[in-house]
Amino acid sequence: MSNSEIREPAVSPEGQKEVNIDPDIQQIKSLSRFQLMKRAFFKNKLAIAAGFVLIILYITMVFFPNLFSTHPPFQQDRNNMYAPPQRIRFFDVDGNFNLRPFVYPYDMELDFETFQYEYTPNYDEKKFIYFFNRGFSYKLGGFWDTDIHFMGLESEEDMFFIFGSDRMGRDIFSRIVHAGRVSLTVGLVGVALTIILGSFFGTLSGYMGGIIDQIIQRIIEILLSFPTIPLWAALAAALPQDWSSIRIFFGISIIIALRNWAGLGRQVRGKVMSFRESEYTIAARIGGASHLYIILHHMIPNAFSHIIVIGTLSIPAMIIAETALSFLGLGIQPPMVSWGTLLEASQRVNVVINYPWIMIPGLFVVIAVLAFNFLGDGFRDAADPFSS
Amino acid sequence: MTAFLVRRSFYMIFTLIVVSILGFIIINLPPGTYLDVYIAELQSMGTATAMEQRQAIVQRFGLDQPLYYQYWNWISGFIRGDFGISFMYERPVSDLIWSRLGYTVILSTSTLIFTWLVALPIGIYSAVNKYSIGDNIFTFFGFLGLSIPNFLLALVFMVISARVLGHTVGGLFSMEYRDAVWSIGKFIDLLKHLWIPVIVVGTAGTATLIRIMRGNLLDILNQQYIQTARAKGLKENIVIYKHAVRNAIHPLIMQLGMTFPQIISGGMIVAIVLSLPTVGPMYFEALAQQDMYLAGTFLMMVSFLLIFGNLVADFLLALVDPRIRYE
Amino acid sequence: MNKNKDTSDKNLLEVKNLKTYFHQEEGVVKAVDNISFNIKQAETLGVVGESGCGKSVTSLSIMQLVPQPRGKIESGKILYYQKDSSVPVDITSLSPRGEKIRKIRGNEIAMIFQEPMTSLNPVYTVGEQIMESVRLHQQSRQKEAREKAVEMLRLVGIGSPEQRVDEYPHELSGGMRQRVMIAIALSCNPSLLIADEPTTALDVTIEAQILNLMEDLQKKFNMSIIFITHDLEVIGEMSDRIIVMYTGKIVEKATIEDIFYNNKHPYTAGLLSSIPQIGVEKRLVTIKGSVPDLKHLPAGCNFSPRCPKVMNICHTQEPPDIQISENQFTSCWLYEKRKDDVV
Ligand SMILES: Nc1ncnc2c1ncn2[C@@H]1O[C@H](COP(=O)(O)OP(=O)(O)O)[C@@H](O)[C@H]1O
Ligand SMILES: [Mg+2]
């Protein structure tokens, strides 16, 4: 027994000193916690696949849309209005194999009974697809004059439509790539704002308690009692008509974030309230740390993983909100395009029924949203290994 | 219990007042009003009475008065059932909104019931059979449902029905019943049409509820009192349904406050695609035309619905949870 | 209940070479690793050990309530001598959800848990929760069951039971809730009560009350108790015999006197020395280090890294089981060495 180490009881005034002398141990602990999270995350195959999809989407659409689009987004082809998606082929009609993929151009005819365009592939002419060939010129990454494209036909004048064309004969694929830039960033801007507002007010509310908490809680309650779409629509309709499209873009993300922070705020408040009671916080208070210090050095880092998870999981809501507003014509304004504005054409049901490929931009909304959901779910499981 | 309800009702009235003020401000935000357009139209027709009419309208709504006066004017009318006038339709707002609100309520409550009926059993199954094949399938479809904007789902429904059935599935009534008086036939016709918007609007909410129910039930199944129940020798089914599910339902009821706005919001856009006679299409049109009293009334009514829905949720919560009842 | 003390030599429960493991992705947790003990009728058996040593898993194994699907009774026998039969049932052979074990649970073997605050279902009244058990096992009607519930509440020392019976758990204090748990457990006259750290979450005065109550009720009901705790001090007042557990194994088994005054295993000694003594300056002497992760156990004796009397052999070979006397057993190299000194 005499060999047993003599120790101070856990709860002693010196307990706080212990916290302070062992910064290395703290470090190691938090590091291994982070590594634990990392390991948990990388085990989740679905989340990794989702992350991979998102990286591809961001590279092709946000960073280098011109490189990856086959035509300028506004180039029209009067002979190819509402052209259906063209098949990319390796075998020609006679069954001969070509290593270089190609398309058959369309012959267009107007059916005078139904007043619809009829397209039939012209099997006599092969248009080969070249990779990294020259097309329309643009500035790569915004600086670099070039006309190299990931893929395209031999002649810049010839258009081909992987996802078909719209009512003005514009290439839907190229428009999707360009629209992705707006749709994929509107969410990020909105989420950044949501996180700032939500964690600020949530922390304030949870940490301060009392009357401040009451007021913030009432504000959150009121925000949550407005239905989203009608509120956003009303606010979006109030944006001045003479604003530039970039200002509208930011206006829209602010509008969406203005309501959406409420949910995050509530959750952060809950987290912070439980931290407030933790031994560490009490010890730090006894040690004379200021509220601000505790909030910045303890609360926020501790709630951080939580905030990241909620942040990731609320990007989908942002993307869907932007899509919905633009679909209604109240969101992003021309000349900017987003997946939602591309879908606006689908409002007329009889058009969609005849030319369903104009809904393809919606597919990208689903892919992006699904990917963010899987990614966020992966983050959540990783941040909270005991939840599953 | 009564104290609890009184307090919640008091909050509700407070929230209503704030929401109505905010709503009025938001609707008045756009520069210019439909009135300008309306008067310009009257003047261009050269009617001698244009100025007089303008004066009458300005007087009636106090448009030359400060905003707070206009608000007071409007909200006190509201209590009397006078919501102002729609410039676009040139009719009192109260003539236009009731049937649309009615169908909105019908659609929303049907959707709510649908989401619960589908989500509860699936959520329970998924939690009890965690990581089974069934659970994984439901989880995947849940994610998918969560990721499809519902108006897109509506479009897909329309295209498929047009291509497969040969006719579209929009609206809430067939032609012959659209303007008919209510009858059993009309009601059945309504049911025949209702299921599509219900599924379309309800998908996302169902997916959310399944995940919440599954997560909660898993939490609850780890609680000590579940072990207590098992230690009593109860059958596993009784442990799950009597002891676990009953507790896991709370957060779902709390979620009502979130599900209901989702359903109403979602329903508004879907209504455009499916051409439903609900609030949505008219509201967006009013917004686009800056028909402020019409839009404002809709915004207000929809918010009222939500706040009222929250009150009902609180009430239900108090019913199932003794801790809240005695708080 | 007409058992009397002279039947108390008969075994009520015999646990033989029980192994209960948890299969996790990172490895197998041998929560209970080859333990054997028995309990006689009307006896109190104390089980001590730091937390994480497998005490709760042992008790859950006896109830066939090991958390599925990860946990599993790997091998061993739990022989239980039922009220009205002389042939024992092997509980490990019963299906965890089957009817046979459900007739035993709550009826013949009852259990109370460490956390009174969360042991009761918050949405049902106290009465409903007692009646549930009564109606399940005694097929009594609503009215009788309610009377029984009131009677049980009175028995466990809850004032004005006629009113309390309709209250919800959140209206009761922790001590009261633990009394209710005891009422539920005893409502069907069990032969064996497993109390898993019933007083750990309570403060000292309440703890004493609950312990007294349990002692009284044990006499009244003439039942056996397995009393689990990590606090030797508590167990001293209650138990006839004690088993000391460490990392899923039994390291010492003895009568209460031997544990306190003639203990053999250094771990038992360590546990004893961490009891704070009144009057002595409030410094706890604790065993150095902490319970190792059951997935990464040291070679040799599991206690070797913490043992003040550790020897070389302890680091390499598992300690032998040593019968010190008829009633005392330990698992430690110290005593083996003494015997074979010359070799
Ligand atoms: N459901 C479970 N899943 C995995 N491991 C468990 C589970 N329950 C207990 N264990 C492990 O079994 C060991 C013994 O736990 P327990 O019997 O609860 O300890 P005690 O009751 O002595 O404090 C611990 O290491 C614990 O981690
Ligand atoms: Mg335990």
Side-chain angles (χ1 to χ4, degrees), chain A residues 110-250:
Chain A
L110 189 61
D111 183 330
F112 282 101
E113 265 171 46
T114 59
F115 281 96
Q116 280 178 17
Y117 302 107
E118 300 281 336
Y119 290 92
T120 40
N122 174 0
Y123 293 120
D124 298 330
E125 207 180 340
K126 283 181 199 163
K127 299 260 184 199
F128 286 101
I129 296 172
Y130 294 88
F131 292 92
F132 295 105
N133 74 333
R134 298 189 180 280
F136 64 95
S137 39
Y138 64 97
K139 286 191 195 319
L140 183 68
F143 300 106
W144 220 28
D145 277 312
T146 178
D147 56 0
I148 297 290
H149 291 268
F150 177 65
M151 63 177 181
L153 300 187
E154 195 166 11
S155 151
E156 195 184 326
E157 304 303 310
D158 286 334
M159 292 188 74
F160 76 119
F161 308 102
I162 305 171
F163 291 157
S165 73
D166 68 3
R167 125 190 102 88
M168 288 151 94
R170 296 173 295 197
D171 175 33
I172 290 182
F173 172 75
S174 300
R175 288 173 71 74
I176 287 174
V177 172
H178 279 270
R181 183 172 234 176
V182 169
S183 291
L184 290 169
T185 45
V186 94
L188 296 189
V189 175
V191 162
L193 273 169
T194 304
I195 286 182
I196 292 169
L197 290 171
S199 33
F200 178 77
F201 286 110
T203 314
L204 196 68
S205 179
Y207 191 76
M208 289 299 168
I211 186 83
I212 294 180
D213 182 36
Q214 280 296 313
I215 293 173
I216 295 176
Q217 283 312 297
R218 286 291 90 71
I219 293 176
I220 287 179
E221 214 159 89
I222 286 164
L223 280 175
L224 288 179
S225 52
F226 274 111
T228 50
I229 294 283
L231 178 70
W232 286 328
L235 287 171
L239 292 179
Q241 318 241 304
D242 51 358
W243 272 16
S244 66
S245 46
I246 190 87
R247 273 173 86 179
I248 300 253
F249 167 85
F250 281 105

Side-chain angles (χ1 to χ4, degrees), chain C residues 22-24 29-32 49-58 60 67 70-71 114 196-197 228 292-294:
Chain C
F22 289 97
H23 298 270
Q24 292 181 321
V29 176
K30 299 182 176 178
V32 170
E50 288 164 293
S51 63
C53 286
K55 306 182 299 293
S56 298
V57 175
T58 304
L60 291 177
R70 292 220 162 124
Q114 173 172 350
D196 188 356
E197 311 211 23
I228 296 173
D293 181 354
L294 293 191

Side-chain angles (χ1 to χ4, degrees), chain B residues 223-225 227-228 230-236 238 242-243 246-247 250 320-323 325-326, chain C residues 60 63 65 97 102 105-106 113 118-124 129 132-133 136-137 168 170 181 184:
Chain B
Q223 296 284 320
Q224 187 67 73
Y225 55 79
Q227 202 70 288
T228 305
R230 290 204 181 106
K232 280 179 183 173
L234 293 170
K235 284 199 183 109
E236 187 65 15
I238 294 184
K242 183 174 169 193
H243 287 271
R246 172 83 193 267
N247 279 285
H250 293 182
V320 298
D321 191 345
R323 283 165 298 186
R325 227 178 296 163
Y326 289 89
Chain C
L60 291 177
M63 299 287 279
L65 278 177
R97 289 190 181 172
R102 281 192 282 107
R105 274 183 210 147
F113 300 96
T118 55
S119 296
L120 292 167
N121 193 327
V123 301
Y124 296 108
Q129 298 188 54
E132 185 177 40
S133 215
L136 179 70
H137 294 298
Y168 287 92
H170 71 272
M181 278 303 292
I184 294 176

